[in-house]
Amino acid sequence: MIHMLEGATADQRSVITFKDGRALVLAGPGSGKTGVITSRIGYLMDHWKVPPSRILTVTFTTSAAAEMQRRATERFPQAAEAVFGTFHSVFYQIIRSSGYYQGFTFLSPYEQKQIIEAVIRHFPTDNDIIQKDPAALLSDISYQKNTGKERGQGSRFFAAYTQECRLRGKLDFDDILLFCRELLWEKSEVRQFWQKRFSYLQIDEFQDINLLQYEIMSLLAEECGNLVAVGDDDQAIYSFRGSDPSLMKRFEQEEDVKRITLSRNFRCDPAIADAAQISISHNGERFEKRSVSEVKESRGEVLIEHYESAAGEGKGILECLKGYDLQREKVAILVRTNREMENYASLLIAAGIPFFIREKRRKLYELESVRDFAAFIRFLHGSGERSDLLRFMNKPQRGLLRGALSERRVDIDRVASGLYERGLTEAARDWEKFAGQLAFARSLDLFAAKQYFFKTMGYESYIRSLEEKEREEGLEGMAFLEGFEGTTKPAEFLEQLRSYEKSFLQQPDQKSPLPGNGIMIMTYHGAKGLEFDRVLLPGVCDGAVPKGRGLTGEQLAEERRMFYVAMTRARHTLLISWYGVESRLSLFVKELQPYISSNSRLSRYSSKASITASNSSSSSMSESSGSSLGSSGFSL
């Protein structure tokens, strides 16, 4: 029993030894919450003699539940009989064992899409967006099921979709929660059975809970009254899924709840913990708390760098990485969106730096705009393939006749003469003009050729003339190609595009072990729960971080929480960078001004000195990363 408390702080001991009643545990970054939760399970079993099968611990992901169970059973073998699971897995067991829904089967994603498309066909509508984006409708319906609140266009189809599922005897993922709550509300024998089944309940990542999950857990704990909820409202970043951090305050207000704050941060060096605290303190409507670093012999630093352009920032990041230890899971590049994640993947491929991406990825190399530009480059530099030319020659419409291309390989200079010989003078002139454009483009380097293709030859205008979904995908492809701007030779670009596709196929899934060494590239969302020695946050510019403009108060607060989560993934070094004119400086960087020298080009805050001069900062960076990054010298 002593070993459960050995080395624990006073606040951690308060959680570990807590027995009866309700407690809200505010657990900041690096506060050791998983160890505290598993130690409490051991304490309940060893000290209070609670049968392990009566202890239920619920979290949000299968991997988190498995990790918690592994750590608990390694320390306390009898914990193998305790119940660990996700909300959905636990609630599904309640449904399955009840016998009330034996005739229902679960929908596959394909079946969900079939049903929503069938429902849409029965609604007269002239809204093409609805017709073309069933996934968005399903997301809105899911949000309504979990929160009881309407969002987007989903409410128009909610009742019909639900009825169609029932007629087919089908359940979707969210129905697990709805049916479980219905069972516990309406069937007293089911409710009483499960209330007696568990006498001690714990919820991990409580800030991510939605109303439906909250109501079910409250019902399960109604009789025993023993519920410990562990979370951090400063790390609530999943509102798009229906998560509602205000339920933490509701929990505290509804019952006689003991609040315990785990304020010690065993992960982040003091410089990082302090800077993150300054950032998150700008949020209102939060539990007042301070995360204090417990890291001894600090060598940590927060670095802030400015670049003139996005391409310059990319080069600076690569230069910085040259001096880092790239052992597996030691360095991470964290970005706000999937698009930026893919851009940095292409940048690292071009530099020959190994990397991992474990989040769900889109095959951006298959987007039409990417394939069309690749076909343009291939044709310019030797392929001569008719199939390549057909991809882009009439985007935008130039009136170029497909019938002029009779051979598999095309001699572009001979097409016009052939048309003249056939008396097709106007068509021949169109081809002459087009051939002249291609001849000029052939003389350009890759960057200039890309600008010429999209701007002068009108491909960007063609994209912007498309309907919304195709237009957005076209622009997304253009943004993806920006990641190759460090490449000037066409052949290198085509090879790097092939390397990108190969790297995509070779990336491990979330359950696979990471092979070899490499840098993690993740979004702020994807990085939650992880930690790295060094974290780089590029692109912290106005409109990007926080994402969007004209945000509501709660939207801005959640964006700041995401930034806070990203900052606190770092153990020792945190590099924040931005680019462009001074007006592009992110609000979140401005809020860090207490730790930034007003005349420093490369600013540093550390536990040793609150402000360091420019040349001293650059020297420090050079020593730690092997390089001194350039800057245009904006004052902050």
Side-chain angles (χ1 to χ4, degrees):
M1 188 191 313
I2 298 297
H3 69 280
M4 298 174 211
L5 303 176
E6 190 174 349
T9 65
D11 291 334
Q12 289 176 334
R13 287 175 178 239
S14 295
V15 181
I16 294 168
T17 59
F18 184 83
K19 183 176 183 283
D20 295 325
R22 297 171 186 256
L24 176 63
V25 180
L26 301 176
S31 60
K33 70 177 178 66
T34 302
V36 168
I37 291 171
T38 54
S39 292
R40 179 171 184 261
I41 293 170
Y43 202 86
L44 285 171
M45 294 184 300
D46 282 3
H47 184 74
W48 300 114
K49 307 304 178 187
V50 176
S53 61
R54 305 290 301 279
I55 304 171
L56 170 65
T57 304
V58 182
T59 189
F60 283 83
T61 66
T62 303
S63 58
E67 173 64 12
M68 201 170 292
Q69 184 174 34
R70 181 191 67 79
R71 290 178 63 171
T73 52
E74 281 182 356
R75 296 180 64 193
F76 318 105
Q78 67 271 40
E81 297 178 28
V83 178
F84 298 82
T86 63
F87 288 97
H88 284 86
S89 66
V90 172
F91 298 165
Y92 175 65
Q93 291 302 320
I94 293 174
I95 293 172
R96 192 179 71 165
S97 65
S98 72
Y100 281 98
Y101 300 103
Q102 294 297 332
F104 285 86
T105 57
F106 280 100
L107 286 165
S108 67
Y110 175 74
E111 289 174 316
Q112 273 189 292
K113 186 171 180 287
Q114 277 189 319
I115 289 176
I116 194 62
E117 288 176 344
V119 167
I120 290 171
R121 285 194 291 271
H122 288 86
F123 280 75
T125 176
D126 57 359
N127 191 330
D128 290 339
I129 298 173
I130 290 175
Q131 296 284 358
K132 292 186 176 182
D133 199 0
L137 288 181
L138 289 170
S139 176
D140 290 341
I141 289 170
S142 172
Y143 182 86
Q144 186 170 341
K145 286 185 176 184
N146 282 284
T147 66
K149 300 174 184 176
E150 296 180 357
R151 186 179 73 179
Q153 299 287 345
S155 60
R156 296 179 56 190
F157 303 92
F158 184 89
Y161 169 80
T162 302
Q163 182 181 19
E164 186 65 24
C165 289
R166 300 298 177 267
L167 289 173
R168 299 188 187 197
K170 296 289 187 178
L171 302 177
D172 67 19
F173 197 59
D174 302 301
D175 286 329
I176 294 175
L177 306 186
L178 284 169
F179 280 36
C180 187
R181 182 182 63 178
E182 181 180 293
L183 264 176
L184 296 176
W185 269 356
E186 298 180 2
K187 308 297 180 183
S188 59
E189 73 279 11
V190 176
R191 181 174 66 253
Q192 289 166 11
F193 173 83
W194 287 100
Q195 286 176 343
K196 288 181 170 60
R197 172 70 173 79
F198 298 115
S199 53
Y200 290 89
L201 295 85
Q202 301 184 124
I203 302 174
D204 184 29
E205 302 288 2
F206 189 52
Q207 75 279 349
D208 296 332
I209 203 165
N210 64 41
L211 181 61
L212 206 49
Q213 294 161 338
Y214 180 88
E215 290 176 342
I216 295 170
M217 291 301 294
S218 296
L219 282 169
L220 291 176
E222 192 174 56
E223 183 171 302
C224 70
N226 299 323
L227 177 59
V228 172
V230 184
D232 181 10
D233 57 325
D234 290 335
Q235 298 186 70
I237 60 173
Y238 294 117
S239 65
F240 66 94
R241 296 180 187 168
S243 299
D244 185 358
S246 71
L247 291 169
M248 297 179 74
K249 291 196 172 181
R250 173 174 162 180
F251 174 66
E252 189 174 48
Q253 292 163 359
E254 283 184 349
E255 304 286 348
D256 182 17
V257 173
K258 179 178 181 180
R259 186 198 296 185
I260 306 171
T261 302
L262 303 181
S263 58
R264 302 295 176 180
N265 184 334
F266 297 91
R267 174 193 303 155
C268 305
D269 278 4
I272 297 165
D274 290 350
Q277 183 66 41
I278 274 287
S279 179
I280 200 61
S281 66
H282 286 82
N283 271 358
E285 297 299 317
R286 57 184 286 269
F287 289 101
E288 280 300 322
K289 54 189 175 301
R290 180 175 180 82
S291 181
V292 179
S293 176
E294 285 291 307
V295 177
K296 308 302 180 185
E297 300 180 3
S298 170
R299 58 186 184 281
E301 54 191 357
V302 177
L303 307 167
I304 298 178
E305 177 65 291
H306 168 261
Y307 298 91
E308 293 182 352
S309 66
E313 182 181 48
K315 291 177 182 177
I317 294 294
L318 292 178
E319 188 67 22
C320 181
L321 292 175
K322 289 180 181 178
Y324 283 172
D325 177 358
L326 302 185
Q327 288 184 47
R328 183 173 59 191
E329 300 184 47
K330 289 226 172 185
V331 180
I333 296 174
L334 306 184
V335 291
R336 176 64 183 84
T337 67
N338 286 328
R339 191 185 81 182
E340 294 165 291
M341 187 171 68
E342 298 294 352
N343 286 347
Y344 270 93
S346 61
L347 188 72
L348 295 185
I349 287 169
I353 297 174
F355 67 92
F356 305 106
I357 294 179
R358 287 191 127 161
E359 294 174 75
K360 185 177 181 181
R361 302 173 66 189
R362 291 187 61 199
K363 295 182 178 180
L364 296 181
Y365 56 86
E366 291 187 351
L367 291 174
E368 286 292 306
S369 52
V370 176
R371 295 171 69 188
D372 289 350
F373 179 67
F376 172 72
I377 293 299
R378 279 196 303 271
F379 188 84
L380 282 185
H381 296 281
S383 84
E385 290 290 332
R386 180 176 182 267
S387 59
D388 281 339
L389 185 58
L390 288 173
R391 285 204 66 90
F392 66 87
M393 70 182 198
N394 279 320
K395 298 177 182 177
Q397 184 56 246
R398 298 181 174 89
L400 301 175
L401 299 176
R402 293 171 63 97
L405 308 176
S406 57
E407 303 294 330
R408 184 179 70 84
R409 292 184 64 82
V410 178
D411 184 342
I412 195 71
D413 296 322
R414 291 175 58 87
V415 175
S417 59
L419 290 170
Y420 277 125
E421 291 170 4
R422 292 162 57 186
L424 301 172
T425 303
E426 188 174 343
R429 288 172 179 165
D430 289 337
W431 273 102
E432 273 187 330
K433 179 180 177 182
F434 183 60
Q437 289 179 320
L438 296 185
F440 179 74
R442 193 176 293 115
S443 68
L444 304 174
D445 66 22
L446 182 76
F447 177 78
K450 181 161 74 72
Q451 296 297 104
Y452 189 75
F453 177 71
F454 283 104
K455 303 291 186 182
T456 307
M457 293 181 67
Y459 191 88
E460 183 176 353
S461 296
Y462 158 75
I463 287 175
R464 294 188 183 279
S465 71
L466 299 174
E467 294 183 0
E468 183 166 347
K469 184 177 180 182
E470 288 80 6
R471 179 170 67 249
E472 290 301 318
E473 288 185 347
L475 295 173
E476 189 174 12
M478 287 179 59
F480 168 68
L481 290 169
E482 291 176 4
F484 295 87
E485 284 189 358
T487 306
T488 58
K489 296 181 179 178
E492 287 181 1
F493 162 72
L494 294 172
E495 179 56 37
Q496 286 168 15
L497 196 60
R498 284 190 290 270
S499 297
Y500 181 91
E501 180 176 358
K502 183 179 179 182
S503 78
F504 185 100
L505 298 173
Q506 291 177 342
Q507 286 292 304
D509 60 33
Q510 291 186 350
K511 297 180 181 178
S512 301
L514 296 179
N517 296 327
I519 295 168
M520 294 295 297
I521 309 177
M522 310 185 83
T523 63
Y524 293 179
H525 281 107
K528 188 170 178 290
L530 302 177
E531 56 187 70
F532 306 90
D533 285 353
R534 302 177 187 272
V535 168
L536 296 85
L537 307 182
V540 185
C541 302
D542 182 52
V545 181
K547 187 175 183 293
R549 293 184 173 87
L551 302 177
T552 66
E554 177 49 37
Q555 287 171 335
L556 180 61
E558 180 159 16
E559 288 288 324
R560 191 178 283 108
R561 292 194 293 265
M562 275 187 266
F563 188 59
Y564 175 76
V565 165
M567 293 176 75
T568 54
R569 300 311 93 195
R571 296 188 189 101
H572 306 309
T573 300
L574 174 64
L575 171 63
I576 300 168
S577 61
W578 62 289
Y579 60 86
V581 296
E582 191 167 8
S583 61
R584 294 208 65 196
L585 179 62
S586 168
L587 168 67
F588 296 163
V589 178
K590 293 177 183 176
E591 290 172 349
L592 294 176
Q593 284 191 359
Y595 296 124
I596 300 173
S597 169
S598 62
N599 61 358
S600 172
R601 293 190 306 162
L602 178 61
S603 303
R604 175 188 178 190
Y605 169 76
S606 75
S607 59
K608 297 177 183 177
S610 60
I611 294 177
T612 308
S614 174
N615 58 354
S616 174
S617 295
S618 298
S619 173
S620 169
M621 183 64 183
S622 181
E623 290 172 5
S624 64
S625 70
S627 64
S628 177
L629 304 186
S631 168
S632 66
F634 276 116
S635 296
L636 303 184

